[in-house]
């Protein structure tokens, strides 16, 4: 992580997230709530449901809680990756190869309702296609999604 300094609008040197977030296994695609207290990320740590699963950890003081797997409603026996928590903290977007996809990885959303994550919904066409849709970000007003995808009219393997 890196923090924006208010004194001169520069960024601090990148710091590695501490344990229990980082382990000797792959961790990536972190997304944090607007208040900075809840972190969602992908990990390939043991005892997951699939290759990459979505985990959540909460911050208390300066420490992060032991990450919790989001479980079988969100995670599958296949691969989940590229997680994004909306600034509202109640809508989770992620790419999955294990839910009902149109081909390769598709983007899904799940809502946090009554203390549980809802069954993920495929965002459908034209966002998802038979190709891979993966890395993305959504503006807080839900009007613009930036996405790296393999659409037919791209200039390279994946374009924004």
């Amino acid at each position: 992580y890196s923090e924006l300094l208010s004194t001169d609008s520069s960024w601090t040197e990148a710091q590695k997230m501490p344990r229990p977030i980082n382990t000797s296994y792959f961790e990536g695609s972190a997304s944090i709530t607007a208040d900075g207290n809840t972190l969602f990320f992908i990990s390939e740590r043991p005892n997951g449901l699939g290759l990459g699963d979505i985990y959540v950890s909460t911050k208390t003081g300066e420490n992060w809680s032991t990450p919790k797997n989001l479980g079988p409603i969100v995670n599958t026996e296949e691969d989940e990756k590229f997680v994004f928590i909306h600034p509202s903290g109640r809508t989770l977007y992620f790419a999955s190869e294990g839910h009902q996809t149109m081909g390769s990885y598709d983007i899904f959303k799940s809502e946090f309702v009554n203390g549980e994550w809802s069954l993920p919904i495929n965002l459908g066409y034209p966002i998802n296609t038979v190709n891979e849709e993966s890395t993305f970000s959504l503006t807080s007003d839900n009007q613009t999604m930036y996405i790296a995808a393999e659409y037919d009219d791209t200039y390279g393997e994946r374009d924004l």
Side-chain angles (χ1 to χ4, degrees):
Y1 67 93
S2 179
E3 297 178 296
L4 182 63
L5 299 173
S6 61
T7 55
D8 64 359
S9 298
S10 64
W11 291 90
T12 62
E13 185 175 327
Q15 301 291 312
K16 183 177 179 179
M17 293 289 294
R19 287 188 179 266
I21 305 300
N22 279 316
T23 66
S24 59
Y25 298 94
F26 171 82
E27 277 89 27
S29 184
S31 184
I32 196 163
T33 53
D35 66 7
N37 292 325
T38 306
L39 178 72
F40 294 85
F41 64 98
I42 302 297
S43 180
E44 294 179 2
R45 57 188 67 200
N47 303 319
L49 299 175
L51 176 60
D53 281 354
I54 302 171
Y55 287 80
V56 62
S57 179
T58 56
K59 190 174 186 181
T60 304
E62 295 299 314
N63 299 316
W64 290 95
S65 68
T66 299
K68 179 182 174 191
N69 186 301
L70 288 191
I73 291 176
V74 173
N75 291 311
T76 67
E77 293 178 358
E78 299 295 328
D79 198 20
E80 277 66 51
K81 63 180 183 177
F82 302 115
V83 65
F84 176 80
I85 186 69
H86 187 270
S88 70
R90 305 201 63 77
T91 306
L92 187 70
Y93 294 88
F94 61 95
S96 177
E97 197 174 42
H99 290 282
Q100 287 193 315
T101 67
M102 298 174 76
S104 183
Y105 289 91
D106 281 352
I107 299 174
F108 292 81
K109 79 172 184 175
S110 178
E111 302 282 342
F112 195 68
V113 179
N114 298 325
E116 294 184 8
W117 290 102
S118 67
L119 190 63
I121 297 169
N122 187 311
L123 295 186
Y125 184 83
I127 293 171
N128 291 318
T129 67
V130 296
N131 297 320
E132 178 178 321
E133 290 76 39
S134 53
T135 310
F136 54 90
S137 181
L138 182 68
T139 57
S140 60
D141 64 3
N142 290 326
Q143 297 301 305
T144 306
M145 177 180 274
Y146 297 92
I147 182 173
E150 298 173 357
Y151 295 136
D152 292 335
D153 61 348
T154 61
Y155 295 101
E157 184 176 329
R158 278 191 201 96
D159 288 343
L160 296 177

